[in-house]
Every structure is written in structure tokens, then in C-alpha cells.
Amino acid sequence: MAYTRELAVEPRRVYAISPARVRPDSMTTARRDVLAWGKRDAAKPPPLLKYRSSKVFILSTLCIAIFTDIFLYAVIVPVIPFALSARAGVAEEDVQHWVSVLLAVYGAALVVGSPISGFFADRTKSRRLPLLLGLLALAGATLMLCLGRNIVVMIIGRLLQGLSAAVVWTVGLALLVDTVGAAEIGQMLGYVSMSVTLATLLAPVLGGVVLHEGGYYSVYLMSFGMILLDVILRTVLVEKKVARQWINKEESHVTDIPLPDHSHTHGSTVPDSEPDAGTHQSNRRPVLALLSSHRLWSALWCSLVQSLLMSAWDATLPLHVAHLFNFSSLGAGLVFLPFALPAFFAPLIGKYVDAHGTRLPAVVGFLSCAPPLVLLLLVNHSGIRQVVLLCALLAVLGFTLTVAMMPIIVEVTYIVTTIEKKHPGGFGGRGAIAQAYGIYNCAFAGGMLIGPLWGGLIVGKAGWGTMCWSLGILSTVSAVPAALWTGGWIFGKKTEKAGDAGAQGTTVEGGLQEAERDGNKHDGSPPVGA
């Protein structure tokens, strides 16, 4: 009976529903589908359902969505300094200030929008609708930045870009966890991280090249082309939890567990999000429960520092190479290319994290970032050897940042699944994965807010060299919390291996297995505050 009660309290983990619980009219009424002509019979699967709901397609759609969002943030990095003076009439001596402001505004909007997006994402039946709304905001922001000729319009455009990014990151990562579970999340997030890094670092390259060869509007024409591709992919995507009502329908008869009387499926395989009286209080506390974890606070600090170390260069590097080497917008964009290449190692690093845990790569990554950061202060005069040195150091820094980033973004999933196993049903029927990534995005956005200001202000007041060694110190210091809390408190009880921390509980197939396992043995996870 305890087993049944646990599953009833946390219906999110049991997506299989007896046919008796599904309303007949929900499977026979006509529905619209983007790939079907007119309306279709809801009892029949949508066209190409197998492919549209596949793990590969969902992962690819999410990677392209995040790539597009970050790309449109970073593509104007080499464009901003030249657009501010030529289109907005900003004085040459004020360009550095407004470059930093426009980059920081994006981070501020991301900070505000991420927890809000996570809160609503965990209370909606569909992950796809918020993704489409976020894309609408992104299209509007891009249009404003394209046509704007004064600084106010540009700032509003960057705000909308930040809000769009909050939705994409928060809802998108929650959708990925819904799709693959925790057992494979490291490797899958490796592909996501690769798309983030490639967008962040390739966008300035392409922005500079296109601006140089095709002019200002060609940069935004390229951007709208990417938005169109993103619209198509997000529209045709079918979530796994929705597709299960048609795929392997015979498996839905295996688990006939009574659901709360208030659950009305309306054709969906996901229980209604409206809580009953017994779980109403727990549904209001996911954020507080997450923020009581020292392990999460460590991950948030590491996330903020990673973002800061990446975004500090957006406001300083283009102007530095333009001043030092007399580079045009093309050269300012191409100098980011060595930074991008190590991103291809992200899936391999994620796979290592899945197999061996998060602590070691996180610590090694932060400590390894310090040498190239400090050595970048040697790039202080013109010459071909200085260009080669700059590119080599940026390549090393790109690899070490990738090593540091992967375990931290995976750590968020492990923290949530560990708390859920320790306190079943504590996050309510919908769980808290989107809210957890909303908090994570807040920290990451904080770094994007601080990074351009850190880089721009220090370079303006104390010079390039001071910025470089200050970032090196920050990276070294951040290895301490990573060593102490990543993967669990280092002096506490031995925690589970990476893929075991809730890996079964986030997938339909593993829900029953986890319930049986938890009923037979005590969970060895650290306390909530560990």
C-alpha cells in the first residue's frame, strides 16, 4: 500500500494510464496537426510521429533552438561597435560603454525571466507552447535591432532577446530531461553545450564576415533565416509524453494505478497539473527546497563564473584586437574562431561525466582555465607572433572552459533527482526540473550581466593585463567550492555514481523500478542541504 500511495502522490513519474481513465471523446475528436491537411482523427497518430517524437529529433531541435538564441545574441558582437557610431550616432569615446550596457541588458533580462519561465513550465502540460512563444519574442527583438536607429530601441531589443533566452534555456533543458532521463543527460547536454559554445563563438565570426562582405542588413537577413528554420522545427516537434498515447499503446495497459479523482487527461498521457489539497503545500515550495541545498549553491556559483569568463571577452576582445592589430569587423569576428573549436569535445566530456561523476572534471576545468587567462596579458603589442599567441591561448581557454562547464550543467539534474528520491512527492506532481534550470539560468545570466561590465570597466580603468589576471584569480578561487560540493559534500557519505542519481526516476520505463527499489532499501543520497 505504501508503494501505491507514493506513486499517487507523485503522478508525474507514471505516464502510463489505464484506458479506463482516458475520456472516450479525447481520442475521437478531430485535431489539427501542422503536417496534416485540415483536421485529423485524434485517435490516429499524427504524420511522421515516430520521427517527430524521436530522441534524435528532439535533441536536434533543442540544440538548434539554443544555437539560434545564442547566435542572435552573439552575432552582433562585432556589429555593435560599428553600428553604434554609424547608425545610432554614439560618440567614439562612448562606444565601449554602450557595448557593455547592451551586452549586460541581455543578461539582466535573462536573470528576471529564467525563474518565471521555470515556474510556469513546471505547471503547464506542454513544453512546446512556451518554446514557440519565446521564439516569437526573439523574432520581434531581432526586428527591432535590425531597424533601430537609436540606443533606446536597441536596449529594448536586447531585453526581448534576454526574455526569449530565458524561455528557451529553462523549458528546453526541462524538455531534454523529460526525453532522455538522468542516465544519459551528461552526454546529451554535451551536444547542447556544444551548440551553445559554437553559437557564442561562431556568431561573432560570421557576423564580422557577413558585415564586411554583405553589409549591415545582410547580418540580420542571416538571422531571420535561422529563426525561420527554428520555427519549422519547434512547430513539428511532438513531445515524448504526448507521443506515448499512440506509440506502444499496448504498454499503457500494464500499469493500471489509480490516479487522483481530479486528474482529467483530455487525451494527454500526463496527469492534470491541478494539485489536490494534500499536495498543495508541497507544490508551493520547490524553489525553497532547491535553494536549501549547498550543493546547488556551489553549482550556481560555478555557473556564474563560467558565464562571466566567457562573456567578459565579448565586450573587450573585438576592441582590443582592433586597437592592437588594426583589425576590421572581419578580423574581430575571426579571432573568436580558435575559442570555438574545443566545443566539439563537449559530448565526450559529458559522456565521461555520466560514467565517472562531476567533481573531478569541474575542479580540473577551473584550475586549468587560470594559466591561459593570465597568459593572455602577454598579448599587448602588434605583430604576427602576438596574433598566433592570442589564438593559441584562446584555443586552450576554450577547451578548459568546456571541461568546467559540462559537469556543472549536468550537476543540476543530479541535484533534483537526488532530492526527489530522498523526499518522494516533495516537488508535487509536476516535479521541479524546469524551476531548477530556471535558477541555474539565473546564475548563468548573472555572469553574462557581470562579465561585460567586469571586462569593460577593468580594461577602461586599469588596462587589458589587469583584466586577464583578475579573471585567472577568479577561476582559481572557484575551484574550491567545486571541489567541496560538486557531486555532494566531499567529507560526507559517499554519494551515488553519476548516472545513478535518480537516473531511473525521470523516465516512464524507470518509474516502477525506482519505486520498487526505494521500497526495499534505504536511499544513500546525501541530505537535502548537502
Side-chain angles (χ1 to χ4, degrees):
M1 294 300 294
Y3 161 75
T4 304
R5 283 197 301 272
E6 178 181 332
L7 290 179
V9 171
E10 192 178 7
R12 181 184 65 84
R13 295 190 179 182
V14 182
Y15 297 110
I17 298 177
S18 168
R21 298 293 298 169
V22 181
R23 290 185 175 182
D25 59 344
S26 66
M27 297 297 293
T28 57
T29 57
R31 290 183 178 179
R32 293 189 179 276
D33 186 84
V34 68
L35 296 184
W37 293 103
K39 294 184 178 181
R40 62 172 179 82
D41 187 352
K44 298 179 180 179
L48 303 176
L49 176 64
K50 179 180 178 181
Y51 303 100
R52 294 165 60 187
S53 63
S54 68
K55 183 189 303 184
V56 172
F57 183 78
I58 293 176
L59 175 63
S60 300
T61 300
L62 176 58
C63 287
I64 292 175
I66 290 180
F67 181 92
T68 300
D69 193 270
I70 301 297
F71 184 92
L72 296 184
Y73 156 78
V75 73
I76 63 173
V77 167
V79 178
I80 285 178
F82 306 96
L84 282 172
S85 56
R87 293 177 60 84
V90 175
E92 193 69 29
E93 61 272 16
D94 296 329
V95 168
Q96 175 69 79
H97 167 74
W98 286 110
V99 166
S100 298
V101 168
L102 287 175
L103 294 173
V105 160
Y106 175 94
L110 193 53
V111 167
V112 174
S114 291
I116 298 174
S117 299
F119 178 83
F120 286 104
D122 279 333
R123 282 159 175 76
T124 58
K125 292 183 179 181
S126 171
R127 307 284 195 196
R128 189 178 69 167
L129 179 59
L131 285 174
L132 290 173
L133 293 177
L135 188 58
L136 181 63
L138 181 60
T142 306
L143 184 63
M144 293 183 70
L145 290 170
C146 175
L147 302 179
R149 287 185 172 271
N150 63 75
I151 197 66
V152 175
V153 174
M154 292 182 177
I155 289 176
I156 295 174
R158 295 299 273 182
L159 282 171
L160 285 177
Q161 272 192 334
L163 294 175
S164 170
V167 175
V168 171
W169 269 97
T170 303
V171 182
L173 293 180
L175 174 62
L176 185 62
V177 176
D178 292 346
T179 303
V180 304
E184 303 177 72
I185 194 63
Q187 186 175 5
M188 297 301 105
L189 285 175
Y191 292 106
V192 173
S193 176
M194 183 171 67
S195 66
V196 171
T197 306
L198 286 176
T200 302
L201 304 172
L202 287 179
V205 176
L206 294 177
V209 171
V210 174
L211 177 66
H212 182 268
E213 299 295 332
Y216 177 82
Y217 288 106
S218 296
V219 175
Y220 288 97
L221 186 62
M222 175 178 61
S223 301
F224 283 115
M226 297 196 65
I227 291 176
L228 178 61
L229 173 63
D230 202 0
V231 167
I232 296 172
L233 292 176
R234 294 195 205 186
T235 303
V236 302
L237 179 145
V238 178
E239 298 175 56
K240 281 282 188 183
K241 62 185 180 182
V242 175
R244 285 192 181 99
Q245 60 185 296
W246 294 289
I247 297 177
N248 299 328
K249 290 169 59 177
E250 63 275 6
E251 294 182 3
S252 65
H253 298 262
V254 176
T255 309
D256 187 5
I257 297 176
L259 300 177
D261 290 339
H262 62 271
S263 297
H264 302 297
T265 58
H266 297 289
S268 172
T269 57
V270 183
D272 198 345
S273 60
E274 184 67 26
D276 59 22
T279 60
H280 179 71
Q281 185 177 2
S282 65
N283 283 341
R284 296 174 57 188
R285 298 181 298 165
V287 173
L288 295 179
L290 290 169
L291 293 179
S292 69
S293 170
H294 301 125
R295 184 177 171 185
L296 179 65
W297 279 106
S298 172
L300 295 179
W301 169 259
C302 293
S303 170
L304 183 146
V305 172
Q306 290 164 0
S307 177
L308 188 155
L309 294 178
M310 294 181 65
S311 61
W313 306 104
D314 292 340
T316 57
L317 189 58
L319 292 175
H320 184 68
V321 297
H323 172 74
L324 209 60
F325 307 124
N326 199 27
F327 280 179
S328 64
S329 60
L330 175 62
L334 289 174
V335 79
F336 282 91
L337 186 58
F339 212 1
L341 297 178
F344 287 102
F345 293 99
L348 294 178
I349 298 171
K351 190 173 183 179
Y352 177 89
V353 170
D354 283 336
H356 301 286
T358 53
R359 192 190 314 274
L360 180 60
V363 175
V364 170
F366 278 112
L367 291 178
S368 301
C369 284
L373 284 169
V374 174
L375 290 175
L376 277 167
L377 64 83
L378 299 177
V379 183
N380 54 16
H381 58 275
S382 61
I384 188 64
R385 291 186 177 181
Q386 287 282 287
V387 176
V388 172
L389 176 62
L390 173 63
C391 293
L393 291 175
L394 287 177
V396 174
L397 180 60
F399 178 77
T400 55
L401 277 173
T402 302
V403 174
M405 176 180 291
M406 283 313 307
I408 300 304
I409 193 171
V410 173
E411 177 80 349
V412 176
T413 297
Y414 293 164
I415 291 170
V416 174
T417 52
T418 298
I419 296 177
E420 285 182 329
K421 288 181 65 181
K422 186 68 175 178
H423 305 281
F427 289 140
R430 288 284 171 177
I433 193 68
Q435 291 173 82
Y437 274 111
I439 298 172
Y440 167 86
N441 290 336
C442 255
F444 193 87
M448 299 187 76
L449 174 63
I450 298 171
L453 298 177
W454 179 305
L457 292 176
I458 292 181
V459 167
K461 299 294 183 181
W464 169 266
T466 302
M467 184 199 70
C468 293
W469 65 253
S470 67
L471 292 177
I473 293 176
L474 178 64
S475 179
T476 303
V477 170
S478 298
V480 176
L484 292 177
W485 282 289
T486 302
W489 176 238
I490 191 171
F491 300 114
K493 292 187 296 183
K494 184 178 180 181
T495 57
E496 298 173 87
K497 292 178 66 176
D500 298 335
Q504 299 292 330
T506 54
T507 60
V508 175
E509 294 80 3
L512 297 177
Q513 298 174 21
E514 185 194 41
E516 293 173 353
R517 184 175 64 251
D518 290 347
N520 295 329
K521 67 178 183 178
H522 175 70
D523 175 30
S525 303
V528 175

